[in-house]
Amino acid sequence: MMMRSAHHRVPLAVAALGLAACVTRGDIEEIKQGLKEINTKLDRGARPQQPQQRPQGPDATAVYAFPVGDSPAKGPADAWVTVIESSDFQ
Amino acid sequence: MPTAMASECAREQGKFWEMHDQIFQNQQMIQDPDLERYAKQIGVDVNRWKKCYADNKHKARIEEDQRVAMQLGARGTPAFFINGRFLSGAQPLPAFEALIDEEIKKAKESGLSRREYYEKAVVEKGKKAM
């Protein structure tokens, strides 16, 4: 019985060695690099949005040429101040 | 989008704000039958309103508004532009008052008339982000 199981083990070990011999150091580096990239992506996906990834909003110091057009409006058309609201319902 | 379309279809009949207020007060009840009920309540011609709504008649206009807001980077709502100056989100009243007071002062000192002020000082001179 013991002999048989040892016998079985031999071809397996050879096969594994054969595989190892085909993989060069360069390949390993490439695989490592790939894993690193995958991990980075996973990491990014798992975390809440980073501040630097937040899309840039309007510049608070600028004046934007926002046309009123025929949008629904309240109050006199010739008011000194026009407030445009961009809104939606929940 | 359905609520915006419902409002635009009411607007055709001069009842935009009436529909807006109904939807705003009942934000948990905005399925099609609810919207139709509001149309009845505010007193528009319901058949005309229903056709307008079913036809997605004003969809393009709404999408254009969304596009402009996106292009400006005003992705969240509400977003405000007070004489073209951006104010983000539901800010406390003093934030609005401060900006509005500044703008009133600026406008009065501009030498422009009330009628032409927004067009000349804000739209023509403002940053064309659209």
Side-chain angles (χ1 to χ4, degrees):
Chain A
M1 284 293 274
M2 273 179 71
M3 281 293 284
R4 261 186 84 178
S5 72
H7 219 81
H8 272 286
R9 232 172 261 149
V10 174
L12 268 176
V14 172
L17 270 175
L19 258 177
C22 291
V23 180
T24 64
R25 180 164 292 196
D27 289 340
I28 292 170
E29 284 310 311
E30 203 175 308
I31 291 164
K32 273 189 184 165
Q33 185 58 33
L35 273 175
K36 211 171 165 186
E37 279 167 22
I38 290 167
N39 276 329
T40 311
K41 280 181 187 164
L42 281 174
D43 213 27
R44 231 182 266 150
R47 271 188 218 146
Q49 252 195 357
Q50 302 285 303
Q52 68 266 28
Q53 291 175 326
R54 200 174 292 156
Q56 202 116 49
D59 179 356
T61 60
V63 172
Y64 288 94
F66 216 124
V68 177
D70 62 347
S71 296
K74 286 180 176 179
D78 66 344
W80 281 123
V81 177
T82 300
V83 179
I84 308 258
E85 179 184 0
S86 170
S87 187
D88 59 8
F89 301 105
Q90 294 300 308
Chain B
M1 181 58 88
T3 50
M5 291 200 294
S7 305
E8 287 294 323
C9 288
R11 168 180 144 103
E12 270 192 5
Q13 303 187 45
K15 301 264 188 187
F16 174 86
W17 290 109
E18 287 81 349
M19 181 59 98
H20 168 276
D21 293 347
Q22 285 290 337
I23 295 169
F24 201 80
Q25 283 157 21
N26 301 287
Q27 294 192 35
Q28 311 308 320
M29 289 187 290
I30 49 173
Q31 301 297 313
D32 286 357
D34 301 316
L35 297 174
E36 192 182 326
R37 194 172 67 248
Y38 304 147
K40 278 179 197 144
Q41 280 170 10
I42 63 175
V44 293
D45 174 341
V46 176
N47 285 332
R48 194 178 142 200
W49 179 89
K50 269 168 88 170
K51 184 168 185 339
C52 168
Y53 184 70
D55 290 350
N56 293 335
K57 194 171 164 189
H58 301 289
K59 196 165 178 233
R61 181 204 160 87
I62 295 160
E63 284 170 347
E64 173 61 16
D65 280 353
Q66 287 175 332
R67 193 190 61 77
V68 170
M70 286 291 280
Q71 214 168 342
L72 273 171
R75 286 171 176 82
T77 59
F80 299 90
F81 291 86
I82 298 169
N83 275 3
R85 294 169 69 189
F86 180 60
L87 193 64
S88 171
Q91 301 257 352
L93 188 59
F96 285 90
E97 286 172 339
L99 258 185
I100 289 169
D101 287 344
E102 265 181 48
E103 285 305 312
I104 291 174
K105 189 165 178 285
K106 213 160 78 182
K108 284 184 173 168
E109 289 167 359
S110 69
L112 294 165
S113 75
R114 285 170 62 128
R115 195 179 46 79
E116 63 186 356
Y117 184 76
Y118 190 74
E119 197 57 37
K120 287 239 162 27
V122 179
V123 177
E124 280 176 23
K125 292 193 185 147
K127 199 165 170 178
K128 303 273 190 288
M130 290 148 270

